[in-house]
Amino acid sequence: MLLGVFLGLIGVLCLSFLLFSSYYAQRVSPHISVDGIAMGGVALNSAPAYLRERIAQRNARPLVFRAGDRVYQVTGGQFHSRYDLSEALAEVRAVGHTGNIFSRAWSQLSTLVTGHDYPLQGHHDPNAVARFVASVSQDVAMEPLPAQVGIDQGQAAIIHEPVLGRELDVPAATRMVNTEIDQHGAFDITLPVLYPGSPITHDVAQAAVDQARQLLGQNVYFSSLNRVKAWYLTPGQLVHLLVFKPGLAADKTPAVIISLDTKKLARTMAPIRAEVEHAPVPAYFGFVDASNGQPDTALPYPDIPGLAVDINKAAQAILASPVNDHVAVIPFEHPHSRFTIASARAMGFDTLQGRAVIDLSGLSRTYAANAAAAARLLDNL
């Protein structure tokens, strides 16, 4: 009885094998695929057309690339994808269809159990990929925003915290797009994105806030012309002069640079300037009476420099005042009249040609003002 069962089992197996071999005699062996495309059971004569059709369908299927909050849909056709099918098709059609009956049977049996996928070597236009990645890079790029320092309710403060930027990791994204177009391993791909920060961080901004608050902690006093702390500016005046800009400190590290608006400072210091400044005196001619009947001589006298507050240096002195007990020494410059002693000498006047003496005493203020205006128009000649 056992012999009969064994023989029956052998008969069933042989019949199954004959049916299997008969069915797959002109078909691709089961569990065979090309680049992930199942080919088992496809007629050998139809395999090339079938594979080309499936690849065309796959190339037409959208590839979804994500970068940050942006989504892009492309297809392999946009990058001129193409594949060399000949080698893979030769392998597919040979499995279980070459050699003697025993080798064919073993090949089909082993393939049935383990299966096999034959990869395709893909090709595409790398320039098209480069253009696509460049457009994505430009689209997703966002510059990081620095922390911003300003004035809030009369006090220096961080008015905007830094914001991270965004940029595509172009080398990594290019490699990923090239790979996915050739392999079609996935149809929803996230491209690598970097999030750079601004060098003007919260801590850098806070350092500027602390510096500004130290400056605004009390009045800034001015000393000059042998007068100590004769004038001052209040924090309420200074706070409207402050300017904050990102830049580099003296040691080349990122910083928020504090400066003063010099135009506003000049107006704010107008009362102080009125006390200490004076205009330059231009060169002028005097006349020396000659003797022995000689003509009188015209003698040029030198100009006298003026005195003016150097606003740019004053701004620097004010900013540095916290380390000097909030005292700033007023820096001066000495402007010259444009009519100097050299200008007077260059005119070549050396002889008195005529003289008119007008006594202004007792005349109206308007008359005197007109005479002074006329003299100024002539550079006091």
PDB file of all heavy atoms in Angstrom, residues 355-364 367-368 370-372 374-375:
ATOM      1  N   ARG A 355      40.160 155.496  -1.703  1.00  0.00           N
ATOM      2  CA  ARG A 355      39.647 155.238  -0.362  1.00  0.00           C
ATOM      3  C   ARG A 355      38.335 155.962  -0.187  1.00  0.00           C
ATOM      4  O   ARG A 355      38.186 157.107  -0.612  1.00  0.00           O
ATOM      5  CB  ARG A 355      40.675 155.694   0.680  1.00  0.00           C
ATOM      6  CG  ARG A 355      40.171 155.590   2.109  1.00  0.00           C
ATOM      7  CD  ARG A 355      41.180 156.132   3.100  1.00  0.00           C
ATOM      8  NE  ARG A 355      42.414 155.344   3.102  1.00  0.00           N
ATOM      9  CZ  ARG A 355      43.450 155.634   3.892  1.00  0.00           C
ATOM     10  NH1 ARG A 355      43.420 156.697   4.682  1.00  0.00           N
ATOM     11  NH2 ARG A 355      44.530 154.888   3.853  1.00  0.00           N
ATOM     12  N   ALA A 356      37.395 155.246   0.448  1.00  0.00           N
ATOM     13  CA  ALA A 356      36.127 155.876   0.809  1.00  0.00           C
ATOM     14  C   ALA A 356      35.828 155.481   2.233  1.00  0.00           C
ATOM     15  O   ALA A 356      35.793 154.295   2.572  1.00  0.00           O
ATOM     16  CB  ALA A 356      35.006 155.428  -0.115  1.00  0.00           C
ATOM     17  N   VAL A 357      35.650 156.427   3.088  1.00  0.00           N
ATOM     18  CA  VAL A 357      35.404 156.172   4.502  1.00  0.00           C
ATOM     19  C   VAL A 357      33.952 156.552   4.797  1.00  0.00           C
ATOM     20  O   VAL A 357      33.522 157.668   4.482  1.00  0.00           O
ATOM     21  CB  VAL A 357      36.357 156.987   5.391  1.00  0.00           C
ATOM     22  CG1 VAL A 357      36.051 156.749   6.862  1.00  0.00           C
ATOM     23  CG2 VAL A 357      37.806 156.640   5.071  1.00  0.00           C
ATOM     24  N   ILE A 358      33.224 155.584   5.336  1.00  0.00           N
ATOM     25  CA  ILE A 358      31.827 155.823   5.676  1.00  0.00           C
ATOM     26  C   ILE A 358      31.674 155.640   7.180  1.00  0.00           C
ATOM     27  O   ILE A 358      32.024 154.591   7.730  1.00  0.00           O
ATOM     28  CB  ILE A 358      30.879 154.849   4.936  1.00  0.00           C
ATOM     29  CG1 ILE A 358      31.055 155.014   3.417  1.00  0.00           C
ATOM     30  CG2 ILE A 358      29.437 155.067   5.342  1.00  0.00           C
ATOM     31  CD1 ILE A 358      30.251 153.999   2.618  1.00  0.00           C
ATOM     32  N   ASP A 359      31.188 156.602   7.829  1.00  0.00           N
ATOM     33  CA  ASP A 359      30.951 156.519   9.266  1.00  0.00           C
ATOM     34  C   ASP A 359      29.554 155.966   9.488  1.00  0.00           C
ATOM     35  O   ASP A 359      28.553 156.569   9.084  1.00  0.00           O
ATOM     36  CB  ASP A 359      31.093 157.915   9.884  1.00  0.00           C
ATOM     37  CG  ASP A 359      30.992 157.855  11.407  1.00  0.00           C
ATOM     38  OD1 ASP A 359      30.850 156.731  11.945  1.00  0.00           O
ATOM     39  OD2 ASP A 359      31.055 158.921  12.038  1.00  0.00           O
ATOM     40  N   LEU A 360      29.487 154.745  10.080  1.00  0.00           N
ATOM     41  CA  LEU A 360      28.198 154.091  10.303  1.00  0.00           C
ATOM     42  C   LEU A 360      27.565 154.476  11.634  1.00  0.00           C
ATOM     43  O   LEU A 360      26.455 154.046  11.936  1.00  0.00           O
ATOM     44  CB  LEU A 360      28.363 152.564  10.245  1.00  0.00           C
ATOM     45  CG  LEU A 360      28.885 152.000   8.907  1.00  0.00           C
ATOM     46  CD1 LEU A 360      29.030 150.493   9.007  1.00  0.00           C
ATOM     47  CD2 LEU A 360      27.947 152.376   7.778  1.00  0.00           C
ATOM     48  N   SER A 361      28.300 155.240  12.432  1.00  0.00           N
ATOM     49  CA  SER A 361      27.761 155.579  13.750  1.00  0.00           C
ATOM     50  C   SER A 361      26.534 156.465  13.593  1.00  0.00           C
ATOM     51  O   SER A 361      26.491 157.375  12.774  1.00  0.00           O
ATOM     52  CB  SER A 361      28.833 156.302  14.581  1.00  0.00           C
ATOM     53  OG  SER A 361      29.230 157.488  13.935  1.00  0.00           O
ATOM     54  N   GLY A 362      25.556 156.142  14.377  1.00  0.00           N
ATOM     55  CA  GLY A 362      24.331 156.920  14.357  1.00  0.00           C
ATOM     56  C   GLY A 362      23.366 156.539  13.259  1.00  0.00           C
ATOM     57  O   GLY A 362      22.255 157.052  13.205  1.00  0.00           O
ATOM     58  N   LEU A 363      23.773 155.641  12.345  1.00  0.00           N
ATOM     59  CA  LEU A 363      22.871 155.236  11.274  1.00  0.00           C
ATOM     60  C   LEU A 363      21.980 154.090  11.752  1.00  0.00           C
ATOM     61  O   LEU A 363      22.210 153.456  12.776  1.00  0.00           O
ATOM     62  CB  LEU A 363      23.669 154.799  10.042  1.00  0.00           C
ATOM     63  CG  LEU A 363      24.536 155.909   9.404  1.00  0.00           C
ATOM     64  CD1 LEU A 363      25.324 155.354   8.228  1.00  0.00           C
ATOM     65  CD2 LEU A 363      23.649 157.064   8.937  1.00  0.00           C
ATOM     66  N   SER A 364      20.974 153.797  10.984  1.00  0.00           N
ATOM     67  CA  SER A 364      20.011 152.766  11.394  1.00  0.00           C
ATOM     68  C   SER A 364      20.652 151.378  11.346  1.00  0.00           C
ATOM     69  O   SER A 364      21.659 151.150  10.653  1.00  0.00           O
ATOM     70  CB  SER A 364      18.793 152.789  10.470  1.00  0.00           C
ATOM     71  OG  SER A 364      19.165 152.362   9.161  1.00  0.00           O
ATOM     72  N   TYR A 367      20.783 149.962   7.835  1.00  0.00           N
ATOM     73  CA  TYR A 367      21.899 150.437   7.033  1.00  0.00           C
ATOM     74  C   TYR A 367      23.167 149.660   7.359  1.00  0.00           C
ATOM     75  O   TYR A 367      23.906 149.210   6.471  1.00  0.00           O
ATOM     76  CB  TYR A 367      22.110 151.948   7.296  1.00  0.00           C
ATOM     77  CG  TYR A 367      23.030 152.622   6.316  1.00  0.00           C
ATOM     78  CD1 TYR A 367      22.525 153.352   5.244  1.00  0.00           C
ATOM     79  CD2 TYR A 367      24.412 152.536   6.460  1.00  0.00           C
ATOM     80  CE1 TYR A 367      23.376 153.977   4.333  1.00  0.00           C
ATOM     81  CE2 TYR A 367      25.270 153.148   5.559  1.00  0.00           C
ATOM     82  CZ  TYR A 367      24.743 153.873   4.492  1.00  0.00           C
ATOM     83  OH  TYR A 367      25.596 154.478   3.600  1.00  0.00           O
ATOM     84  N   ALA A 368      23.389 149.456   8.644  1.00  0.00           N
ATOM     85  CA  ALA A 368      24.584 148.708   9.072  1.00  0.00           C
ATOM     86  C   ALA A 368      24.502 147.249   8.608  1.00  0.00           C
ATOM     87  O   ALA A 368      25.512 146.664   8.185  1.00  0.00           O
ATOM     88  CB  ALA A 368      24.714 148.772  10.586  1.00  0.00           C
ATOM     89  N   ASN A 370      22.949 146.105   5.994  1.00  0.00           N
ATOM     90  CA  ASN A 370      23.186 146.072   4.548  1.00  0.00           C
ATOM     91  C   ASN A 370      24.677 146.206   4.236  1.00  0.00           C
ATOM     92  O   ASN A 370      25.208 145.552   3.332  1.00  0.00           O
ATOM     93  CB  ASN A 370      22.414 147.195   3.860  1.00  0.00           C
ATOM     94  CG  ASN A 370      20.912 146.901   3.815  1.00  0.00           C
ATOM     95  OD1 ASN A 370      20.513 145.742   3.925  1.00  0.00           O
ATOM     96  ND2 ASN A 370      20.105 147.937   3.667  1.00  0.00           N
ATOM     97  N   ALA A 371      25.355 147.054   4.990  1.00  0.00           N
ATOM     98  CA  ALA A 371      26.799 147.227   4.779  1.00  0.00           C
ATOM     99  C   ALA A 371      27.542 145.933   5.109  1.00  0.00           C
ATOM    100  O   ALA A 371      28.460 145.517   4.392  1.00  0.00           O
ATOM    101  CB  ALA A 371      27.316 148.374   5.627  1.00  0.00           C
ATOM    102  N   ALA A 372      27.135 145.277   6.190  1.00  0.00           N
ATOM    103  CA  ALA A 372      27.773 144.014   6.566  1.00  0.00           C
ATOM    104  C   ALA A 372      27.501 142.938   5.528  1.00  0.00           C
ATOM    105  O   ALA A 372      28.380 142.139   5.207  1.00  0.00           O
ATOM    106  CB  ALA A 372      27.262 143.563   7.946  1.00  0.00           C
ATOM    107  N   ALA A 374      26.953 143.376   2.340  1.00  0.00           N
ATOM    108  CA  ALA A 374      27.783 143.679   1.172  1.00  0.00           C
ATOM    109  C   ALA A 374      29.234 143.248   1.398  1.00  0.00           C
ATOM    110  O   ALA A 374      29.887 142.710   0.516  1.00  0.00           O
ATOM    111  CB  ALA A 374      27.721 145.174   0.868  1.00  0.00           C
ATOM    112  N   ALA A 375      29.718 143.432   2.603  1.00  0.00           N
ATOM    113  CA  ALA A 375      31.089 143.037   2.916  1.00  0.00           C
ATOM    114  C   ALA A 375      31.249 141.531   2.832  1.00  0.00           C
ATOM    115  O   ALA A 375      32.249 141.012   2.324  1.00  0.00           O
ATOM    116  CB  ALA A 375      31.473 143.531   4.318  1.00  0.00           C
TER     117      ALA A 375
END
